[in-house]
Amino acid sequence: MAGSFETVGVVGLGTMGAGIAECFARAGIAVIGVEAGPEALTRGRGHLEDSTGRAVVKGRLSEAERSEILGRVTLTTSLEDLADADLVIEAVPEVMVFKRALFTDLDRICKPSAVLATNTSSLSVTEIAATTGRPGRVIGMHFFNPAPVMRLVEVIHTLITDDGLAGEVADLARRLGKTPVTVGDRAGFVVNRLLLPYLNHAAVLLENGVATRDGIDTAMRLGAGLPMGPFALLDLIGLDTSYEVLSVLFRESHDRRHAAAPILRERVAAGLLGRKSGGGFHRAAEPEPAADEPSTGLVAVLGEGGDAFAARLSAAGFKTVPVQDAETVVALSSVPVVELAPGLPHPERLVGLHLVGDQVAEVASTALTGPEVARAVEGMVRLIGLVPVPCRDRAEFVVDALLYPYLNDAVRMYDSGYATRDDIDNAMRLGCGYQAGPFETLDELGLETVRDGLRALYAEYREPFLAPAPLLEQLVAAGVRSFRDLP
Ligand code: CAA
């Protein structure tokens, strides 16, 4: 019974551990927080005080409630103080030897009925469980950063978890106001297996110069509607943690999609770990883009939707003219536009434009586009109220290049039988703050559109992971329009 978890130990009071301790204390559960030494303990106390203090400032908690919450947390540097805890959850760094050593100690110290839980992001819960003399009482309880805010808890059971324990721990998660998603023990579980390859892919695009850090972040926030761009999120999660998760995924899959981008490894090696070290990807401002070039406003608009776009430009004072008179040729397109260049009198004046949602315009430069022409188009789209994201003229540009492979991964995960579509959708909505889960997004975009985008990506890069998932191909071939139509 979940009600029997009345005292909970949390080992490791870094960002995640302190957030987890706060979740339990807020739910009225007594918490024993353990850190390795006095300094780390003071830091952990600081996390708890800051987080609850912010909630008071925002009027979400009264001072009295805050004192009650903090009063439920006992801090100690001695693991022995966990002897009577009903459940202990560890949130120490993602290094298997640390975890195994800790679980050996916890197994010795904690009462036989206690549940030992790990907040590992990706390591094998089975391997950790096997360290103990109570493998049936060891489970994964995976929270998301920031733990007091994100509503998901992944509950990970192994082949040897006691019957019923996953259900009890899921009930406990509900008691914390969270939504549990219960799955088996596979590297990355649901969220990290879908999230980290996407974040890594963003780093690959950055490394390949497809777009800038800020451009990619903006595109994913405003174009795809995500709460944070990938580089801001990597900084929040920690580049070291992200690198570790990717390494674990790669060891299990040997899939290049999981091979950490060198740009990520380099930053980790340099100690640029993200928010916790004062910066990772967002350590320094990117150089200001050069000022927009003045444009006389003679623009030709090509492509589907060109007339409506030309009308918007005209309303903003631009003059739309035939291609031969244009200083700028804008080709509205969702595919690379360079094929149009040889047919133009001035191929250096050609820029591809891909409108994403109602806020973002990806401004694609071909190998021939003049930099001043691209800047003129950026200024032009700004004038009509869109946010320009300069990028190279590559398959699916930025947003779709990142979004479609993630959706493809979700289809593969579902098809493998690891998790249900609802669980995957819930996990991404509640764990990452997405407005929609991947299957909801697939339905909205259209299965055929996503399949075609993946085919284009595969044709460009020849990476096996970009080939549409067999299930997606089959559903499109069968004329299925929505995952909702499946049993
Ligand atoms: N601790 C406690 N509370 C916090 C917080 C923190 N670190 N950061 C933000 N909050 C609270 C704020 O106090 C605020 O609360 P109220 O609404 O009660 O006032 C609320 O969260 C929203 O915060 P803000 O208004 O400051 O900021 P925002 O609206 O931009 O939201 C965010 C911030 C919640 C972080 C949002 O950007 C978001 O959802 N981002 C996605 C985060 C994500 O994907 N997390 C999962 C990462 S993967 C992971 O953790 C797993 C792993 O193993 C690697």
Side-chain angles (χ1 to χ4, degrees):
M1 278 205 12
S4 59
F5 295 120
E6 291 313 327
T7 302
V8 166
V10 179
V11 183
L13 297 172
T15 317
M16 283 310 291
I20 294 167
E22 182 181 332
C23 294
F24 284 110
R26 275 176 179 257
I29 296 171
V31 179
I32 304 165
V34 187
E35 256 297 356
E39 245 174 61
L41 201 64
T42 304
R43 224 174 15 247
R45 179 180 292 116
H47 287 316
L48 278 162
E49 287 173 353
D50 288 352
S51 178
T52 50
R54 273 197 310 271
V56 171
V57 171
K58 290 199 166 185
R60 300 278 181 186
L61 274 185
S62 67
E63 267 300 350
E65 286 165 329
R66 179 184 184 224
S67 304
E68 263 180 50
I69 291 169
L70 294 177
R72 284 191 200 107
V73 184
T74 312
L75 297 176
T76 170
T77 53
S78 172
L79 281 179
E80 310 292 328
D81 290 341
L82 298 173
D84 292 328
D86 302 310
L87 176 140
V88 176
I89 175 162
E90 71 73 24
V92 303
E94 284 291 278
V95 180
M96 186 52 104
V97 283
F98 293 175
K99 307 250 186 203
R100 290 182 67 120
L102 175 62
F103 273 75
T104 306
D105 285 344
L106 291 175
D107 192 29
R108 176 180 51 78
I109 293 165
C110 297
K111 61 187 179 190
S113 61
V115 174
L116 305 183
T118 170
N119 178 55
T120 182
S121 304
S122 61
L123 295 174
S124 162
V125 179
T126 312
E127 200 177 326
I128 295 171
T131 314
T132 71
R134 63 177 94 189
R137 308 289 293 160
V138 176
I139 199 153
M141 197 175 184
H142 185 214
F143 289 75
F144 292 82
N145 192 357
V149 182
M150 308 316 286
R151 283 172 46 217
L152 178 71
V153 171
E154 286 175 327
V155 176
I156 295 99
H157 60 81
T158 73
L159 295 176
I160 43 177
T161 305
D162 285 351
D163 283 349
L165 183 61
E168 286 176 34
V169 172
D171 284 344
L172 176 64
R174 284 188 198 96
R175 208 172 136 196
L176 307 182
K178 309 285 186 192
T179 300
V181 164
T182 302
V183 283
D185 186 22
R186 204 186 276 184
F189 318 129
V190 174
V191 170
N192 282 342
R193 194 158 188 121
L194 297 179
L195 180 68
L196 266 297
Y198 144 70
L199 297 177
N200 193 40
H201 194 174
V204 170
L205 292 194
L206 179 65
E207 184 139 34
N208 291 345
V210 172
T212 63
R213 174 198 73 191
D214 292 347
I216 295 172
D217 268 358
T218 302
M220 296 315 285
R221 228 170 12 85
L222 301 182
L226 305 186
M228 302 173 99
F231 299 109
L233 185 53
L234 279 162
D235 277 9
L236 175 74
I237 294 172
L239 274 52
D240 50 345
T241 303
S242 304
Y243 183 80
E244 281 305 323
V245 175
L246 282 164
S247 304
V248 172
L249 290 176
F250 185 79
R251 279 202 295 277
E252 187 174 289
S253 70
H254 293 283
D255 186 337
R256 273 187 53 148
R257 181 150 174 73
H258 301 146
I263 199 174
L264 186 58
R265 181 199 44 74
E266 187 187 16
R267 277 174 166 67
V268 173
L272 305 174
L273 307 181
R275 284 193 191 177
K276 61 184 159 191
S277 76
F281 278 102
H282 279 272
R283 180 166 155 262
E286 280 187 332
E288 281 290 311
D292 299 332
E293 296 287 322
S295 162
T296 57
L298 298 179
V299 54
V301 183
L302 309 176
E304 204 177 315
D307 289 347
F309 192 74
R312 282 175 84 175
L313 289 179
S314 300
F318 293 93
K319 192 162 184 312
T320 52
V321 294
V323 163
Q324 59 275 15
D325 301 329
E327 297 197 317
T328 313
V329 180
V330 169
L332 287 177
S333 179
S334 57
V335 297
V337 296
V338 70
E339 279 84 355
L340 302 174
L344 296 177
H346 294 285
E348 73 282 4
R349 296 182 186 172
L350 173 68
V351 172
L353 204 66
H354 183 223
L355 305 182
V356 189
D358 52 12
Q359 292 191 68
V360 168
E362 293 170 332
V363 178
S365 290
T366 75
L368 304 175
T369 304
E372 70 291 352
V373 177
R375 284 200 295 276
V377 174
E378 287 165 40
M380 189 184 290
V381 299
R382 228 176 251 123
L383 276 175
I384 59 168
L386 297 172
V387 178
V389 172
C391 63
R392 296 175 79 181
D393 185 44
R394 291 290 153 81
E396 304 306 315
F397 306 121
V398 178
V399 173
D400 294 345
L402 290 173
L403 196 56
Y404 292 171
Y406 147 73
L407 299 174
N408 206 30
D409 287 347
V411 175
R412 287 183 200 278
M413 178 182 280
Y414 159 64
D415 198 27
S416 75
Y418 179 59
T420 66
R421 297 194 303 270
D422 280 352
D423 278 349
I424 296 171
D425 275 348
N426 279 333
M428 295 313 290
R429 264 196 281 99
L430 304 176
C432 300
Y434 287 11
Q435 287 164 10
F439 293 97
E440 293 160 328
T441 304
L442 273 156
D443 284 352
E444 191 189 318
L445 295 175
L447 306 193
E448 193 166 356
T449 302
V450 176
R451 191 275 313 263
D452 291 348
L454 286 162
R455 283 184 175 180
L457 283 165
Y458 179 71
E460 180 123 312
Y461 297 104
R462 298 291 170 191
E463 293 284 5
F465 63 80
L466 294 171
L471 177 64
L472 186 58
E473 286 283 12
Q474 281 176 8
L475 292 176
V476 176
V480 174
R481 290 176 177 279
S482 163
F483 274 92
R484 274 190 304 270
D485 297 337
L486 294 184

